[in-house]
């Protein structure tokens, strides 16, 4: 008798091996997709920070100091390891804080791009318009922060964007 087919055990072994290979591949692909979405979300937050920096560069000279210093901190000196005391003042647009939608209204960022790339939810609009707090120290170095807590697009990145404009930027 001439048997030219596969036995049941050979077929089951092949199916088990193929299932393992597919499971490992699916796990790797899913991890790569999630990492890509997280990188996209971090890039979104980074681009939002760059937009705020652009706003400061364009409108910094028109921003008004709120009066008294907000806080005093110690800044590292470029020479040696010494530090010196610097006062930090908040800046406003007239009597108002700058808001995210001011970036849209000034054409710095497109409102359609204010979407979380991870879940495709719109992050900011006229009803959800967080304040951008801008500060300047006595050396004319600008700092800004915006709280992303309780945002409607579920950003899982840091809840706060804080950055400094490069030294020498004096809008």
């Amino acid at each position: 008798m001439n048997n030219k087919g596969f036995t049941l055990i050979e077929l089951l072994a092949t199916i088990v091996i193929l299932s393992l290979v597919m499971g490992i591949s699916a796990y790797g692909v899913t991890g790569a997709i999630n990492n890509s979405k997280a990188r996209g979300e971090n890039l979104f937050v980074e681009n939002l920070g760059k937009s705020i920096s652009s706003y400061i560069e364009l409108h910094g000279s028109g921003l008004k100091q709120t009066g008294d210093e907000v806080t005093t901190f110690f800044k590292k000196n470029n020479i040696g390891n010494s530090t010196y005391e610097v006062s930090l003042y908040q800046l406003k647009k007239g009597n108002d804080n700058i808001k995210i939608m001011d970036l849209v209204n000034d054409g710095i960022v497109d409102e359609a791009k204010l979407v979380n790339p991870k879940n495709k939810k719109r992050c900011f609009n006229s009803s959800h318009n967080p304040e951008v707090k801008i500060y300047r120290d006595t050396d004319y170095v600008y700092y800004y922060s915006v709280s992303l807590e309780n945002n409607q697009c579920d950003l899982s990145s840091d809840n706060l964007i804080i950055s400094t404009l490069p030294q020498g930027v004096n809008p």
Side-chain angles (χ1 to χ4, degrees):
M1 199 159 114
N2 193 1
N3 292 331
K4 294 187 178 184
F6 295 105
T7 66
L8 183 59
I9 299 210
E10 290 172 329
L11 286 174
L12 287 174
T14 303
I15 290 171
V16 167
I17 290 170
L18 288 175
S19 298
L20 287 172
V21 169
M22 287 177 34
I24 292 169
S25 299
Y27 178 76
V29 168
T30 303
I33 290 171
N34 289 338
N35 287 340
S36 175
K37 287 180 178 181
R39 280 193 305 272
E41 187 174 85
N42 289 338
L43 186 62
F44 170 80
V45 172
E46 183 180 315
N47 286 338
L48 184 60
K50 287 179 183 177
S51 298
I52 295 168
S53 294
S54 296
Y55 182 90
I56 295 170
E57 289 174 11
L58 289 172
H59 300 289
S61 60
L63 300 177
K64 295 181 181 178
Q65 188 171 304
T66 58
D68 296 334
E69 65 185 62
V70 176
T71 186
T72 301
F73 69 103
F74 289 93
K75 188 172 179 178
K76 191 171 187 176
N77 197 336
N78 291 337
I79 302 168
N81 290 327
S82 61
T83 57
Y84 60 101
E85 194 173 284
V86 178
S87 297
L88 203 61
Y89 300 91
Q90 187 172 358
L91 302 176
K92 293 188 176 190
K93 184 177 77 174
N95 293 326
D96 300 325
N97 282 324
I98 294 92
K99 298 199 175 226
I100 290 291
M101 293 308 286
D102 291 336
L103 305 175
V104 173
N105 296 336
D106 287 358
I108 294 171
V109 67
D110 183 10
E111 187 174 1
K113 292 185 179 179
L114 293 176
V115 173
N116 183 348
K118 191 171 183 178
N119 58 20
K120 306 296 185 212
K121 288 186 178 180
R122 178 170 241 118
C123 294
F124 311 110
N125 55 32
S126 56
S127 64
H128 184 261
N129 191 9
E131 291 182 348
V132 178
K133 294 185 179 178
I134 299 175
Y135 305 94
R136 182 181 67 212
D137 68 16
T138 53
D139 294 332
Y140 280 81
V141 176
Y142 290 77
Y143 305 83
Y144 58 85
S145 68
V146 59
S147 175
L148 299 177
E149 287 181 358
N150 303 324
N151 60 75
Q152 61 189 31
C153 71
D154 300 326
L155 282 170
S156 60
S157 300
D158 296 334
N159 289 332
L160 189 65
I161 297 174
I162 299 179
S163 189
T164 307
L165 285 180
Q167 189 78 24
V169 176
N170 295 323

